Amino acid sequence: MPTDYVRIFDTTLRDGEQSPGATMTSAEKFEVARALARLGVDVIEAGFPAASPDDLEAVRRIAAEVGNPTDGSPVPVICGLARTTRSDIDKAWEAVQPAAHPRIHTFLATSEIHMQHKLKMTRAQVVERVREMVTYARSLCEDVEFSPEDAGRSDPLFLYEVLAVAIECGATTLNIPDTVGYTLPDEFGALIAGIIANTPGIQNCVVSVHCHNDLGLATANTLAGLMAGARQPEVTINGIGERAGNTALEEVVMALQTRRPIYHLNTGIDSAQITRISKLVSNYTGIAVQPNKAIVGANAFAHEAGIHQDGLLKNQQTYEIMRPESVGASQTKLVLGKHSGRHALKMRLASLGYDLEEAELDQVFVRFKALADRKKLITDADLEALISDELYQPRELFSLDGLQVACGTMGMPTATVRLRDPAGLMHVQAAVGTGPVDAAYKAIDAVVAEHVSLLEFVVHAVTEGIDALGEVTVRIQSQNGVHTLDAQKEIDQPRTFGGYGADTDIVVASAKAYLAALNKLLVATGKYGPAEKASMEFVTQ
C-alpha cells in the first residue's frame, strides 16, 4: 500500500451495534455489510462471533458473500472480534474463515485501572496472555490485529513492551484505542508518535486508531493519530457506538478529502454514497441522526440566514466547504408517478444502488403504486424510505393489517388496530390514549402483551409538501429484561430496541415503527422461535 493511503476500518456492525437500542438482525447486518462494501470500506468488522450463535452466523454469512464478491468489485477484509481466549479466537476464525481476506481481531486491556479492577492480572500476566493468544490467532489466520484496550490511559513504556510482543508473535495490525474518550488530540498524537518511534518491528505493521467520543474529541483524536503516522482509523457510520459513540466515518473521510493539502492522505471511499448509507444505518438501528450532525445531518447543507443565502447565491464556496453532491446529499428530481412502470422503477432503484430480486421488486412496486396514487411526485428520498420500510424490516412476527383512529378537540382520542399474529390469526383491539399515537400503541400493547417503555419517538417528513411521506423512528426498552451475557456470568437486564416505519399517514408510520421495535424484542427473546440474539456480549475498546 502507498504510504499516503488510509485503510478505512468500519466497526458499525460490532462497536456501533453495541450502542443501546442499535441491535440489528442478521438480515439487517448483511445489508449494511453490502452497503459498506459498495462504499469502499477496506475492513469490515462484522461482529463479535462469541457473543451468540446468531452473531457467529451473521459474520460467517458476511464473510462468505460480501467477502467474496462475484461482480469484480473490491474485496474487503472481513474481521471478527475476539477476547484473548482460545474459545473466542476459535469462534472468530470459524466465522471469518470463508472470506477471501479474513482477519482475527483480539484485545486485552493494558491500563492499570483495567488490569487491577477488571482483569485481576499483573503486567507480566498480561504480556504472557498476549504472547500466547496472538501466537494462537496467527496459527489460524495470517492477518491478526491486536488492541491494547484503554491504551489512552496506559503507561506508554508498558504499551511499547506489549506491542513488541504482539508483533513478535505475528500481529499485522496494531490498534491503539482511546476506549473511554479520555485523551486530548495533542496527547493522542504524541502517543501514536511515541509508539511508532519506540516499538521494535512496528515498521512491518499497520498502526490503527480507535477513538471514542466521550469528550466530543473522537474525530479530532483520530485525525491527530493519522497525522502522527497511523494509517487505519476505526470508525462507524453516523458515529454510533458505546456511550457517546465512536469516530464517525463520514467526518474522517470528508476531513481528509476537504483538507487534502494538509493531510496528503487518500482513501478508497466513494463519498457520494455516504448520505445513503447513513440513512440505511439510521433506519435499521432506530437511532435518528441529529439535524446539525456534521456531513449527514439534515441541516448540514441548509442555510437560513439572509447573509449566508446572499453569499451562496453569489458563490457557493462562501458558506459551503464541500458540495452536497460530494456526499450524495443532492436530491434528483426525476419524475416518477402513477403512470411509471416496473422498468422505470427498477432502473431508478438500480441507479440508487438497490439491486432487487424480481420478488422484491414486485413487493416494492405495489407500495410504489399505492404511494403514487396519493403523491404526485415520487423523489429518491421517497423511494429509499419505501425500500427501508418494505424490505429491510426485522422478522415480522406481529404485522399491522389495519388501523383506524378518532381524535381532535372533541371527545377522547381512540385507536382500533387489527394485527396478524405469528400464527396468522387476526386480533382487533381498541384503546383510548392522550393522542392517536398513544392510543394506537396501547391497543398494540394489549395484543402483543409485552411490557416495554417508550424511550424515544422521532418523526419527520422525507420531502417537502403536505403530501410528504412521513418517517418515524422509535426506541423501546424491555421492562422484564432480555437474557444477556455480561463478562463471565449470565444475567437478565433491560435491553433497548429501535424500530422504523414510513407512510403518508404519520399515525400508520408510528404504528409500523413501534411494531418493528417490538418484533426485534420478541425475536431476541425467542418467544416465537429460535432467538436471533440469544445472548450479547457488550465489549468495549
Side-chain angles (χ1 to χ4, degrees):
M1 284 285 185
T3 56
D4 64 348
Y5 185 79
V6 173
R7 299 163 177 81
I8 299 298
F9 178 113
D10 185 273
T11 185
T12 301
L13 298 176
R14 200 279 298 171
D15 206 341
E17 197 198 16
Q18 289 170 203
S19 182
T23 301
M24 291 179 268
T25 65
S26 296
E28 290 169 338
K29 292 186 75 169
F30 179 72
E31 290 302 326
V32 171
R34 289 178 59 190
L36 289 171
R38 288 194 296 266
L39 182 65
V41 163
D42 299 274
V43 185
I44 299 174
E45 188 166 50
F48 179 55
S52 72
D54 179 67
D55 218 37
L56 189 152
E57 187 54 41
V59 176
R60 182 160 49 196
R61 184 187 177 196
I62 291 168
E65 300 184 41
V66 180
N68 288 281
T70 58
D71 57 0
S73 58
V75 185
V77 173
I78 306 299
C79 178
L81 185 71
R83 290 167 296 190
T84 47
T85 66
R86 285 181 178 265
S87 61
D88 270 31
I89 292 171
D90 285 339
K91 286 183 172 66
W93 176 237
E94 180 185 350
V96 302
Q97 190 174 6
H101 302 305
R103 176 183 294 185
I104 295 174
H105 180 190
T106 189
F107 68 97
L108 189 65
T110 53
S111 68
E112 291 297 331
I113 190 168
H114 276 241
M115 289 188 291
Q116 179 181 347
H117 297 286
K118 186 181 76 171
L119 299 179
K120 311 292 186 184
M121 295 172 67
T122 65
R123 288 190 174 194
Q125 289 172 324
V126 166
V127 170
E128 188 54 36
R129 175 73 67 82
V130 171
R131 185 186 306 280
E132 180 186 358
M133 290 299 109
V134 172
T135 299
Y136 181 62
R138 183 57 190 266
S139 72
L140 302 174
C141 183
E142 291 186 358
D143 190 356
V144 175
E145 178 169 335
F146 172 73
S147 295
E149 186 185 0
D150 203 22
R153 293 190 295 177
S154 298
D155 175 8
L157 295 178
F158 182 53
L159 272 182
Y160 306 156
E161 179 185 355
V162 171
L163 294 174
V165 168
I167 294 171
E168 178 187 330
C169 296
T172 52
T173 298
L174 299 175
N175 176 49
I176 313 303
D178 182 23
T179 302
V180 292
Y182 178 73
T183 62
L184 303 178
D186 287 348
E187 289 178 312
F188 195 69
L191 178 65
I192 299 302
I195 287 170
I196 292 174
N198 294 287
T199 305
I202 203 164
Q203 64 274 10
N204 300 318
C205 296
V206 174
V207 177
S208 179
V209 289
H210 180 117
C211 300
H212 280 261
N213 204 39
D214 298 70
L215 293 176
L217 297 171
T219 298
N221 283 339
T222 295
L223 292 172
L226 294 176
M227 186 69 89
R231 287 297 177 265
Q232 177 182 281
E234 304 203 352
V235 295
T236 63
I237 301 297
N238 299 336
I240 64 172
E242 288 276 12
R243 304 179 313 280
N246 290 55
T247 307
L249 177 147
E250 59 274 10
E251 294 175 11
V252 171
V253 168
M254 295 313 295
L256 295 179
Q257 183 172 309
T258 304
R259 303 304 305 275
R260 185 169 286 127
I262 301 295
Y263 290 102
H264 304 288
L265 297 173
N266 302 295
T267 73
I269 297 296
D270 177 6
S271 63
Q273 298 191 41
I274 284 176
T275 297
R276 187 177 309 136
I277 193 170
S278 166
K279 186 176 181 64
L280 179 70
V281 170
S282 176
N283 290 345
Y284 279 173
T285 60
I287 298 177
V289 177
Q290 65 191 63
N292 62 325
K293 167 73 175 65
I295 315 301
V296 292
N299 293 345
F301 298 98
H303 306 271
E304 184 172 346
I307 294 175
H308 287 212
Q309 292 174 346
D310 178 66
L312 280 168
L313 291 172
K314 294 172 179 175
N315 187 314
Q316 190 170 8
Q317 292 183 343
T318 53
Y319 288 101
E320 285 187 350
I321 61 172
M322 66 193 93
R323 295 186 63 83
E325 294 84 356
S326 67
V327 296
S330 61
Q331 290 188 359
T332 302
K333 292 298 183 181
L334 176 67
V335 176
L336 286 177
K338 65 180 180 179
H339 300 297
S340 300
R342 290 176 79 261
H343 181 72
L345 177 63
K346 182 178 182 179
M347 291 299 101
R348 187 68 209 136
L349 290 173
S351 71
L352 292 174
Y354 299 107
D355 184 18
L356 304 186
E357 302 289 342
E358 287 302 312
E360 294 175 328
L361 181 62
D362 291 341
Q363 198 176 332
V364 173
F365 186 63
V366 171
R367 285 285 304 277
F368 165 74
K369 281 293 190 180
L371 178 62
D373 285 336
R374 291 175 284 170
K375 194 174 189 290
K376 291 183 179 181
L377 175 64
I378 309 299
T379 68
D380 290 352
D382 292 322
L383 292 178
E384 291 181 338
L386 274 184
I387 289 286
S388 299
D389 188 56
E390 189 67 28
L391 299 183
Y392 300 153
Q393 289 285 31
R395 177 149 60 92
E396 199 169 55
L397 298 174
F398 285 88
S399 60
L400 183 67
D401 190 70
L403 171 65
Q404 182 173 309
V405 298
C407 60
T409 57
M410 303 294 290
M412 293 179 290
T414 305
T416 303
V417 300
R418 185 169 64 231
L419 301 182
R420 187 185 302 274
D421 71 12
L425 300 177
M426 287 293 188
H427 301 262
V428 177
Q429 182 69 42
V432 174
T434 57
V437 173
D438 181 52
Y441 283 12
K442 286 179 177 176
I444 290 171
D445 285 340
V447 176
V448 178
E450 190 69 32
H451 298 291
V452 300
S453 299
L454 181 65
L455 301 181
E456 186 175 18
F457 177 88
V458 179
V459 56
H460 74 277
V462 174
T463 55
E464 69 279 359
I466 60 174
D467 60 352
L469 194 67
E471 286 185 318
V472 174
T473 55
V474 303
R475 296 173 75 194
I476 64 173
Q477 184 177 69
S478 59
Q479 290 186 357
N480 294 333
V482 175
H483 193 63
T484 64
L485 191 71
D486 180 45
Q488 303 298 325
K489 62 181 181 179
E490 295 182 349
I491 62 171
D492 282 326
Q493 65 181 37
R495 287 269 303 284
T496 55
F497 299 85
Y500 166 84
D503 198 273
T504 50
D505 186 321
I506 203 63
V507 183
V508 174
S510 301
K512 287 181 175 181
Y514 191 56
L515 274 172
L518 284 171
N519 282 332
K520 283 186 179 181
L521 186 152
L522 294 172
V523 166
T525 61
K527 284 190 175 182
Y528 296 92
E532 290 192 16
K533 286 286 180 185
S535 63
M536 170 59 67
E537 171 86 13
F538 289 92
V539 183
T540 60
Q541 252 193 53

